[in-house]
């Protein structure tokens, strides 16, 4: 994407306007890159809206947040960004409120749990774009050969992983704590241990006793026993873990809906069960929502609103959800998916959404805390690492960020 983002047109009250959108890539290859999805959608929109042009630049999840951050910091924000966090931009008064952009029916159609998570001081700035929950995926063939049943507790998971290791499975349990999505794997494990990123009152609690206990288990009972494969968890990205599962090299891992199609394309027979907890099934799984936001800088409120109304139509939300096996973010699309027998495979994920917990995305410090987790959490399970020390360091950074506001 070029650095010059002035756009064509001023306040959005007339003349041709070019909107710039920076978006994340949900594809696992060039064949299903999100660039293709956006190009097709933009072509349809422009045909019905002469005078409004939309240019989309798609980046990997490794890069997209930092790209938008650099653009905004340089005073050259895009008109829209579809990334992982919004609150820090909202706190700087850089974003349009959703109510200033969307028609009332479109804004009211968001799944309430997700729209609530998009609010700062009870005003919605983050518009949910994609959602998912997590289940434990396991390779049916490898489990059958080892005479195993899916685990329900941490101890059972470790026992199953040991049995898979004895059978020569390359990666009994894949633990992706690499920079791509370490904050997700971390969050799921924290929840399964009765902890999380924050306390009930909303303050960060990364170094809670529950969280330290969780990472002691990962370090000592999984990583330390050689049950997570040859790649250090801190060097293993989620995409690589998914690809290894699709090659039949992984016994089990936490996965979101898109892993179903990735594995099925490679002929891997898999099962899915609720994520095991410390002493039983995890009471609350992780819910994830990625966010669409609109920057005020270029003054294209009216045109942005028209485009986003189109983006969030039932037809387009379903098309995106089907393309990438993700959960719809609108009630109309969710109801359509639940009523369609062809979407039965997504039912276990949809069922988990009402009791899921999302990242603390309403906190303006979350983007920085998430970045720190991505960078450092792998050290907690490294041979010389200390979970208490690493989590304590992350807590200190989170507290400093909070106090600096």
């Amino acid at each position: 994407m070029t650095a010059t983002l002035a756009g064509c047109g001023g306040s959005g009250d007339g003349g041709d306007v070019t909107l710039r959108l920076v978006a994340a890539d949900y594809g696992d290859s060039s064949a299903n890159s999100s660039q293709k999805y956006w190009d097709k959608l933009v072509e349809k929109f422009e045909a019905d809206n002469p005078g409004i042009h939309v240019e989309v630049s798609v980046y990997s999840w490794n890069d997209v947040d930092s790209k938008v951050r650099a653009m905004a910091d340089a005073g050259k924000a895009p008109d829209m960004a579809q990334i992982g966090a919004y609150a820090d931009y909202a706190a700087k008064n850089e974003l349009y409120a959703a109510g200033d952009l969307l028609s009332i029916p479109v804004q009211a159609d968001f799944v309430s749990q997700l729209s609530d998570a998009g609010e700062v001081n009870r005003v919605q700035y983050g518009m949910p774009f994609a959602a998912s929950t997590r289940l434990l995926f396991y390779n049916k063939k490898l489990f059958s050969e080892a005479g195993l049943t899916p685990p329900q507790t941490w101890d059972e998971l470790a026992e199953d992983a040991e049995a898979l290791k004895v059978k020569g499975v390359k990666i009994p349990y894949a633990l992706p704590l690499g920079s791509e999505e370490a904050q997700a794997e971390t969050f799921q494990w924290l929840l399964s241990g009765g902890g999380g990123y924050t306390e009930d009152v909303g303050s960060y609690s990364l170094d809670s006793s529950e969280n330290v206990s969780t990472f002691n288990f990962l370090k000592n009972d999984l990583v330390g026993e050689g049950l997570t494969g040859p790649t250090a968890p801190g060097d293993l990205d989620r995409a690589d873990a998914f690809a290894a599962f699709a090659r039949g090299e992984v016994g089990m891992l936490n996965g979101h809906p898109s892993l179903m199609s990735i594995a099925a394309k490679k002929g891997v027979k898999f099962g899915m069960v609720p994520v095991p907890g410390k002493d039983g099934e995890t009471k609350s799984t992780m819910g994830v929502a990625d966010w669409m936001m609109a920057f005020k800088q270029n003054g294209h409120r009216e045109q942005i609103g028209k485009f986003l109304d189109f983006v969030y139509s039932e037809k387009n939300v379903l098309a995106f959800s089907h393309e990438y096996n993700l959960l719809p973010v609108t009630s109309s699309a969710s109801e359509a998916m639940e009523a369609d027998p062809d979407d039965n495979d997504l039912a276990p994920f949809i069922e988990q959404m009402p009791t899921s917990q999302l990242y603390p995305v309403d906190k303006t410090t979350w983007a920085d805390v998430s970045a720190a987790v991505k960078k450092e959490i792998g050290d907690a399970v490294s041979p010389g690492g200390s979970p208490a020390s690493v989590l304590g360091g992350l807590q200190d950074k989170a507290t400093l960020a909070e106090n600096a506001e």
Side-chain angles (χ1 to χ4, degrees):
M1 188 173 192
T2 60
T4 302
L5 295 168
C8 307
S11 66
D13 294 328
D16 283 3
V17 167
T18 297
L19 303 177
R20 269 82 179 197
L21 165 64
V22 176
D25 194 354
Y26 290 83
D28 55 18
S29 68
S30 59
N32 70 340
S33 166
S34 292
Q35 188 72 57
K36 291 188 175 182
Y37 169 83
W38 284 111
D39 288 348
K40 185 176 180 180
L41 184 143
V42 166
E43 182 179 3
K44 293 178 181 177
F45 173 78
E46 291 181 343
D48 294 333
N49 294 272
I52 305 178
H53 309 289
V54 184
E55 295 180 359
V56 184
S57 296
V58 172
Y59 297 99
S60 76
W61 275 110
N62 287 328
D63 302 321
V64 67
D65 288 276
S66 61
K67 290 282 187 183
V68 173
R69 167 74 66 188
M71 293 160 66
D73 288 349
K76 299 174 180 177
D79 294 284
M80 295 165 285
Q82 186 269 299
I83 52 177
Y86 65 86
D88 49 338
Y89 299 112
K92 297 175 184 176
N93 197 32
E94 296 177 351
L95 303 180
Y96 287 114
D100 293 333
L101 298 167
L102 303 173
S103 64
I104 292 175
V106 170
Q107 187 177 9
D109 196 27
F110 287 128
V111 174
S112 60
Q113 183 184 14
L114 301 178
S115 60
D116 290 348
E119 294 181 354
V120 174
N121 296 324
R122 299 189 178 183
V123 177
Q124 185 181 1
Y125 296 96
M127 293 160 277
F129 183 74
S132 68
T133 56
R134 296 294 194 271
L135 294 171
L136 181 76
F137 283 68
Y138 65 96
N139 184 307
K140 285 187 173 181
K141 179 175 181 291
L142 298 180
F143 264 62
S144 176
E145 291 173 349
L148 302 175
T149 56
Q152 296 181 334
T153 67
W154 287 1
D155 286 344
E156 291 176 1
L157 186 148
E159 291 168 3
D160 285 356
E162 181 61 41
L164 292 167
K165 180 184 177 182
V166 170
K167 285 290 186 178
V169 175
K170 185 176 180 180
I171 307 174
Y173 178 83
L175 183 65
L177 296 178
S179 61
E180 181 187 12
E181 207 182 36
Q183 85 287 357
E185 184 74 10
T186 296
F187 191 30
Q188 182 59 72
W189 274 99
L190 297 184
L191 290 173
S192 70
Y197 281 126
T198 59
E199 300 172 330
D200 291 340
V201 295
S203 300
Y204 285 110
S205 58
L206 284 94
D207 61 347
S208 69
S209 59
E210 293 86 354
N211 292 348
V212 172
S213 176
T214 294
F215 267 82
N216 280 331
F217 170 80
L218 292 176
K219 175 179 168 59
N220 299 324
D221 294 62
L222 292 185
V223 181
E225 294 296 327
L227 303 180
T228 55
T231 302
D235 296 327
L236 181 65
D237 282 341
R238 185 259 302 163
D240 294 330
F242 280 15
F245 186 82
R247 293 194 298 269
E249 299 172 355
V250 175
M252 49 187 161
L253 79 170
N254 292 330
H256 54 62
S258 67
L259 181 55
M260 294 188 298
S261 61
I262 296 171
K265 287 177 183 176
K266 297 293 185 179
V268 171
K269 302 296 183 182
F270 60 88
M272 302 180 299
V273 295
V275 173
K278 187 174 184 179
D279 301 309
E281 182 180 317
T282 300
K283 295 180 176 62
S284 180
T285 189
M286 178 182 69
V288 175
D290 301 325
W291 303 95
M292 178 72 75
M293 64 207 71
F295 287 87
K296 294 179 178 179
Q297 181 179 318
N298 301 314
H300 297 150
R301 182 184 63 82
E302 180 183 345
Q303 290 84 357
I304 293 170
K306 286 184 179 180
F307 180 64
L308 291 181
D309 272 357
F310 180 75
V311 168
Y312 285 109
S313 68
E314 179 183 323
K315 177 181 178 181
N316 288 328
V317 171
L318 279 172
F320 181 85
S321 300
H322 286 141
E323 178 66 28
Y324 299 106
N325 278 303
L326 292 168
L327 306 185
V329 297
T330 63
S331 297
S332 60
S334 296
E335 291 167 2
M337 182 171 281
E338 287 178 314
D340 190 342
D342 291 338
D343 290 322
N344 283 344
D345 53 352
L346 285 170
F349 295 96
I350 296 175
E351 290 170 2
Q352 300 235 26
M353 182 57 75
T355 59
S356 65
Q357 291 191 35
L358 278 71
Y359 300 131
V361 290
D362 60 329
K363 297 176 76 65
T364 58
T365 53
W366 170 242
D368 290 335
V369 172
S370 175
V373 170
K374 289 181 180 182
K375 182 179 180 181
E376 300 175 25
I377 197 63
D379 294 338
V381 297
S382 65
S386 163
S389 177
V390 172
L391 290 169
L394 288 168
Q395 177 64 30
D396 288 344
K397 291 181 178 180
T399 301
L400 284 173
E402 292 273 85
N403 292 340
E405 291 190 326

